[in-house]
Amino acid sequence: MSTQNEVTVNGGGRQYGTKLTAKGAAALAACILEGTKLEITEIAVGDGGGAYYEPMSSQTALVHEVWRDEVLSCEKSVLNPNTMDIKGVIPSDAGGFVIREMGVFDAAGTLIGVCNTPDMEKTDAASGAGGKLDLIMHLVVTDADAVQVVIKSSLDAVSLEDVRELLKDKQDKLNGQEGQVPVFNKNGILEAQPLEQLLEDKQDKITGQPGQVPVFNKEGVLEAQDYSSSTVFAFAEEDWGPPASWTPEEPEEGEEAAAYDGSLGYEISVPAETHKRKTGDFGFHVFHQVDGRYITNTWVAIGTGANYDGESGTVTLSCSAPYPGKILFVG
């Protein structure tokens, strides 16, 4: 029979479940009384000493711990608000053992919860059949709001290959276009968004390389691009002016000078201290402001050019008709 702090599953005559340890329950109770939070920081697995056993609330350690690392994530169960689903990941280079038990620990190293599991073999990479193994431990507590799971592991640990694997089955649904990136929206659903939005949300760490982001190229395939030295320059429609090559005609005496007719296009000068490019070997993405939103692939944005003056370091933007927008310098 399970109590309010236990999760029990029957499997082939054997009982598998999770228990809050006595020390874990005491630590949680103290946090509730003091108005603080119990910090869970690590997750560990063991081989149970080579045999099945049923966990006990009196345990202060796993029977035989074989691996431990920081907790990767934690979510409240949608079925039970007092159940916390705590996740860890055993990397491919760790292994060579059979998992029969798991435990989670607080910042002081106290075993907070323990569970037993059906035998799960974890091979290492040297065996030729190694791979990552996801762990999820369901921990029932009396007050989930009194528990804080400390996530120290960073998304920097996620490789571009991991991202591609994650998006593999969804990429065709994104309708990705050049310069767009896959981003989770507020509803947790992947959608294609302009690179500008991703930079604002600071999700450049998703590839595992500082300053790199996964971007759809012109073939609609995800690839890593470096935006660590990117600079955004915003401009208004009135910032555009006649090109330097245009010379106004002298008006007849008593007449006003004729306004520029736009026949030679328009230009904006961006000084070196603004665009921060060291040479003319750079790329850029142009965003056109329409109804308060910045979009790409409009005829105006596509028609924008950028010329670098090696002597002054100035970049001159050119276009056929003035428009408000932004330009993102990269490289």
Side-chain angles (χ1 to χ4, degrees), residues 170-190:
K170 298 182 179 180
Q171 182 173 332
D172 59 339
K173 300 177 182 177
L174 293 176
N175 191 27
Q177 297 179 356
E178 184 176 7
Q180 289 188 329
V181 292
V183 177
F184 287 99
N185 64 19
K186 63 181 180 180
N187 298 316
I189 300 173
L190 280 170

Side-chain angles (χ1 to χ4, degrees), residues 274-285:
T274 298
H275 61 71
K276 297 181 174 61
R277 303 308 99 186
K278 303 299 183 182
T279 69
D281 185 19
F282 62 86
F284 60 90
H285 293 276

Side-chain angles (χ1 to χ4, degrees), residues 148-162:
Q148 177 179 341
V149 176
V150 179
I151 311 298
K152 295 183 180 179
S153 299
S154 167
L155 280 177
D156 290 342
V158 181
S159 66
L160 181 59
E161 288 70 26
D162 291 331

Side-chain angles (χ1 to χ4, degrees), residues 103-115:
V104 290
F105 299 80
D106 68 6
T110 302
L111 179 65
I112 300 300
V114 61
C115 74

